[in-house]
Structures are given as structure tokens and as C-alpha cells.
Amino acid sequence: MQVRICYVRGHVEVYDQFGAFLFSADSMGEALAELEEDAA
């Protein structure tokens, strides 16, 4: 799955390839860990 990660006011937001919001996280590391969990 392709995603777009954007920094927004001190946190990151993750969107899918169609621009739909998936989730937010406190850091890039947290977002990547969440994506890794979803892929497993």
C-alpha cells in the first residue's frame, strides 16, 4: 500500500494513495511502526 505521511502541527498524519485519512501519530517512528503492524 502506498501512503503519504504529512507533518501537521507537531504530529504526523497518514493518508492512503487516494488521499483518505488513515491515522495520526506523535512521530514518524510511531507512524512507521503502525504501518508495519498493519502490513503483518
Side-chain angles (χ1 to χ4, degrees), residues 18-39:
F18 304 109
F21 177 80
L22 297 175
F23 62 89
S24 63
D26 292 330
S27 67
M28 177 69 80
E30 186 179 308
L32 294 174
E34 181 74 25
L35 288 168
E36 209 169 280
E37 280 182 25
D38 289 347

Side-chain angles (χ1 to χ4, degrees), residues 4-29:
R4 181 172 51 116
I5 301 175
C6 303
Y7 284 97
V8 179
R9 299 182 187 157
H11 69 279
V12 294
E13 294 182 350
V14 182
Y15 298 87
D16 69 10
Q17 67 267 28
F18 304 109
F21 177 80
L22 297 175
F23 62 89
S24 63
D26 292 330
S27 67
M28 177 69 80

